[in-house]
């Protein structure tokens, strides 16, 4: 091996030998979850069904039964702009990680240079008229390559990696939220269509009753009070029809925004809320399994690991740094002699920087890194606590909504019978029309509440699925367009 090869290769060998050295970052340990080890228990909670499935392992296709909703979700996963932005953020984070990772290796480049200049006589050996020396060179080498003796570059690389992986988890969380929002909006549209149909049917019945009272009033049988009371019911129902017509239109607009394109009419739900809301029963596993696998919790932990790695880089700034510049090639005073024998040249310039006085800059940077790590820890714990509450609230709703639904069904049956009886008594002249109106209003209100409770029960299944971390196990083919998954290393840890 000649001198040029020796001085060019030695720094590379030295750098590779140092690659296995550790960093000055604190040893990372997963924080203890600041929540109870079990879900809350009590009257508001019910035991899991023996046939229930774990949400975390259940793909969204297996949760929903309605084929129209499934097709809408497929459209949303391809067209929704929020998910597309999240996917592009992954690409950006991956590129930034690659930029940071490149600092682990020297940047080798080839350079060619020609130089010709005129010097005055007193700088050219006293010759009159000055001199115009010429020089040509061609070299290969690297400049200012840092030997990562104390792991500064590797700590920054680890930080970039964890931030990239946090972005991937954020994309998964966005997908879960999108699935839940599309399903909830779909169910809300079906519910408002059911309320619109109810209001239209009620308006028709109220108008029929008003016409009957009007004829009776014209014959002198019914009083003007009865007529005005019947008219009041008609106007209330007419206002409800307008209100729910508006709600249905706005629900469609909201659903189209989530899906990201115009929705074909055949994919819109009908007013059969129960058919649209058919879903698989879910079970709640123990909190430690559920919460640690939720993408938002995973993302918060990745950011915590990134902050931990940043401390290592801040600590390394207190120690000496060594940079190397080396090149080898040829040089000549004439272009045709550039590659002749004896024209070879090389240079090797090591540089060491030892911090002596920086007015507290490095200490302040280390303090900032430690504080950022504590902030990230608090954010992680807050995310875990928020996730725990979401699941607990959804479980409390699941444990009580069935009983509320049964009671509401019974109430509708009772008010329906009451309305029939009061109407029969009015036709026989036993009661006034005021009792009929009261019974009819009670029935109408009970029917509206029944639709609202059905919506709450079905929406709770979607909320529980989201809170338990389900909805992101689908393949990358369902991600937003423009996202390519090649090259990601999703399972890497620090």
């Amino acid at each position: 091996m000649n001198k040029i090869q020796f001085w060019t290769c030695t720094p590379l060998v030295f750098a590779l030998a140092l690659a296995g050295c550790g960093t000055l970052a604190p040893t990372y340990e997963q924080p203890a979850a600041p929540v109870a080890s079990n879900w809350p228990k009590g009257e508001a909670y019910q035991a899991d069904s023996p046939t229930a499935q774990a949400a975390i392992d259940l793909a969204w296709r297996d949760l929903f039964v309605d084929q129209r909703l499934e097709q809408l979700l497929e459209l949303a996963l391809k067209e929704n702009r929020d998910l597309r932005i999240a996917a592009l953020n992954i690409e950006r984070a991956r590129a930034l990680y690659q930029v940071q990772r490149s600092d682990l290796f020297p940047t080798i480049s080839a350079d060619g240079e020609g130089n010709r200049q005129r010097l005055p006589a007193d700088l050219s050996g006293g010759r009159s008229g000055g001199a115009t020396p010429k020089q040509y060179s061609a070299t290969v080498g690297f400049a200012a390559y840092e030997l990562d003796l104390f792991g500064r570059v590797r700590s920054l690389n680890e930080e970039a990696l964890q931030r990239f992986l946090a972005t991937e988890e954020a994309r998964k969380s966005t997908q879960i939220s999108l699935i839940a929002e599309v399903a909830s909006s779909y169910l809300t549209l079906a519910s408002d269509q059911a309320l619109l149909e109810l209001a239209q049917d009620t308006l028709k019945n109220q108008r029929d009753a008003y016409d009957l009272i009007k004829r009776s009033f014209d014959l002198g049988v019914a009083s003007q009070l009865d007529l005005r009371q019947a008219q009041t019911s008609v106007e209330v129902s007419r206002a409800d029809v307008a209100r729910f017509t508006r709600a249905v239109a706005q629900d469609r607009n909201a659903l189209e925004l989530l899906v990201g394109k115009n929705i074909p009419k055949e994919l819109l739900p009908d007013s059969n809320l129960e058919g649209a809301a058919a879903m698989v029963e879910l079970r709640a596993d123990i909190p430690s399994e559920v919460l640690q696998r939720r993408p938002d919790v995973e993302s918060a932990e990745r950011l915590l690991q990134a902050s931990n790695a940043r401390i290592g880089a801040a600590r390394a700034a207190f120690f000496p740094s060594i940079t190397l510049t080396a090149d080898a090639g040829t040089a000549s005073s004439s272009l045709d002699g550039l590659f002749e024998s004896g024209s070879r040249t090389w240079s090797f310039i090591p540089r060491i920087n030892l911090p002596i006085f920086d007015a507290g800059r490095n200490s302040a940077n280390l303090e900032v890194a430690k504080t950022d790590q504590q902030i990230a820890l608090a954010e992680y714990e807050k995310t875990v606590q928020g996730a725990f509450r979401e699941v607990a609230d959804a479980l409390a709703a699941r444990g009580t909504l069935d009983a509320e639904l049964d009671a509401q069904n019974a109430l509708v049956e009772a008010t329906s019978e009451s309305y029939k009886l009061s109407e029969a008594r009015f036709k026989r002249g036993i009661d006034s029309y005021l009792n009929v109106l009261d019974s009819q209003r009670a029935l109408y209100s009970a029917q509206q509440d029944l639709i609202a409770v059905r919506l709450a029960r079905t929406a709770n299944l979607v909320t529980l699925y989201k809170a338990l971390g389900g909805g992101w196990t689908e393949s990358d083919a369902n991600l937003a367009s423009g996202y390519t998954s090649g090259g990601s290393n999703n399972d890497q840890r620090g």
Side-chain angles (χ1 to χ4, degrees):
M1 177 182 294
N2 58 36
K3 289 183 178 180
I4 296 176
Q5 293 172 325
F6 173 78
W7 287 110
T8 304
C9 296
T10 297
L12 297 177
V13 175
F14 187 37
L16 292 175
L18 290 171
C21 298
T23 67
L24 298 179
T27 301
Y28 177 78
E29 294 182 1
Q30 187 179 52
V35 293
S37 57
N38 294 298
W39 303 118
K41 298 183 182 299
E43 295 182 358
Y45 304 92
Q46 67 181 19
D48 288 327
S49 169
T51 60
Q53 301 185 44
I56 198 72
D57 298 320
L58 187 66
W60 62 265
R61 293 178 185 276
D62 300 325
L63 175 69
F64 302 106
V65 177
D66 192 333
Q67 295 297 315
R68 290 172 296 185
L69 176 55
E70 181 178 325
Q71 293 181 51
L72 277 181
L73 289 171
E74 288 179 348
L75 282 177
L77 291 175
K78 294 177 182 178
E79 302 292 342
N80 180 264
R81 298 313 187 267
D82 287 334
L83 190 58
R84 186 174 299 179
I85 292 171
L88 292 173
N89 282 334
I90 294 176
E91 294 301 306
R92 182 178 183 275
R94 179 186 289 118
L96 289 174
Y97 166 61
Q98 293 296 336
V99 170
Q100 183 61 55
R101 186 173 182 271
S102 65
D103 288 342
L104 291 171
F105 308 94
T107 301
I108 300 175
S109 60
D111 296 302
E113 182 179 352
N115 182 17
R116 185 175 182 178
Q117 61 180 338
R118 183 184 185 281
L119 298 176
D122 59 345
L123 295 180
S124 60
R127 289 178 292 179
S128 61
T132 56
K134 296 178 289 183
Q135 181 178 339
Y136 301 92
S137 64
T139 59
V140 176
F142 55 88
Y145 170 60
E146 180 178 351
L147 296 181
D148 197 22
L149 297 175
F150 300 98
R152 188 189 74 87
V153 177
R154 276 168 288 151
S155 292
L156 294 176
N157 177 67
E158 176 66 16
E159 179 190 13
L161 172 62
Q162 295 302 329
R163 293 192 182 279
F164 159 59
L165 296 177
T167 307
E168 167 66 17
E169 297 298 335
R171 196 277 307 164
K172 295 177 182 177
S173 184
T174 301
Q175 179 170 321
I176 292 177
S177 298
L178 175 62
I179 290 171
E181 288 179 15
V182 171
S184 296
S185 297
Y186 183 85
L187 296 174
T188 299
L189 176 57
S191 174
D192 284 343
Q193 288 180 160
L195 288 170
L196 176 59
E197 287 189 6
L198 174 63
Q200 290 171 336
D201 291 342
T202 302
L203 176 60
K204 180 179 181 303
N205 293 334
Q206 295 285 12
R207 279 176 171 168
D208 291 343
Y210 174 79
D211 292 340
L212 178 62
I213 297 298
K214 181 67 168 58
R215 287 194 295 269
S216 298
F217 174 76
D218 292 340
L219 295 174
V221 178
S223 66
Q224 187 174 8
L225 177 61
D226 292 337
L227 180 64
R228 294 310 175 192
Q229 288 174 336
Q231 183 182 3
T232 299
S233 297
V234 170
E235 299 306 328
V236 169
S237 299
R238 197 158 67 93
D240 283 348
V241 169
R243 177 160 59 94
F244 292 124
T245 299
R246 179 176 65 253
V248 168
Q250 292 174 341
D251 291 343
R252 288 188 61 175
N253 294 337
L255 189 57
E256 287 189 347
L257 176 62
L258 288 172
V259 172
K261 63 181 302 183
N262 293 332
I263 301 174
K265 186 175 181 180
E266 60 271 15
L267 296 184
L268 293 173
D270 53 30
S271 58
N272 182 14
L273 182 59
E274 292 185 354
M279 300 179 202
V280 174
E281 286 293 328
L282 303 173
R283 74 168 187 266
D285 295 316
I286 60 177
S288 61
E289 293 181 356
V290 172
L291 299 182
Q292 291 176 10
R293 294 180 64 185
R294 273 184 44 147
D296 58 338
V297 175
E298 286 266 14
S299 179
E301 186 177 2
R302 296 291 189 183
L303 294 176
L304 175 58
Q305 289 174 288
S307 299
N308 196 69
R310 187 74 181 185
I311 294 176
R315 286 176 174 175
F318 287 89
F319 296 88
S321 62
I322 298 177
T323 58
L324 302 177
T325 298
D327 61 57
T330 65
S332 175
S333 61
S334 62
L335 186 60
D336 56 357
L338 193 59
F339 297 102
E340 291 183 355
S341 176
S343 64
R344 290 186 296 178
T345 182
W346 61 266
S347 68
F348 175 59
I349 309 172
R351 180 177 180 272
I352 183 169
N353 177 46
L354 177 63
I356 297 177
F357 176 74
D358 62 2
R361 181 189 301 274
N362 287 338
S363 297
N365 284 334
L366 178 58
E367 188 62 30
V368 169
K370 290 181 177 179
T371 303
D372 287 343
Q373 192 264 355
Q374 291 300 309
I375 293 174
L377 175 60
E379 292 286 354
Y380 169 77
E381 292 176 338
K382 179 182 176 182
T383 302
V384 172
Q385 290 175 338
F388 185 90
R389 185 204 166 172
E390 286 181 12
V391 178
D393 286 349
L395 291 175
R398 183 184 68 169
T400 55
L401 281 170
D402 284 340
E404 184 179 356
L405 184 60
D406 289 341
Q408 195 64 40
N409 274 316
L411 179 61
V412 169
E413 292 180 3
T415 53
S416 178
E417 290 298 321
S418 176
Y419 171 64
K420 291 178 182 178
L421 291 174
S422 61
E423 188 177 36
R425 290 173 64 84
F426 170 72
K427 290 180 178 180
R428 294 176 184 175
I430 301 176
D431 281 342
S432 67
Y433 190 67
L434 179 61
N435 290 333
V436 177
L437 289 178
D438 287 341
S439 298
Q440 191 176 53
R441 289 167 184 163
L443 174 60
Y444 183 41
S445 177
Q447 289 172 326
Q448 287 180 321
D449 291 342
L450 178 60
I451 294 173
V453 174
R454 285 174 178 168
L455 174 61
R457 183 181 181 278
T458 53
N460 171 252
L461 294 176
V462 176
T463 301
L464 183 60
Y465 182 62
K466 173 188 174 183
L468 291 173
W472 59 268
T473 56
E474 287 297 294
S475 66
D476 288 342
N478 289 323
L479 301 183
S481 60
Y483 169 66
T484 55
S485 60
S488 66
N489 194 1
N490 297 344
D491 296 328
Q492 291 189 46
R493 289 277 183 172

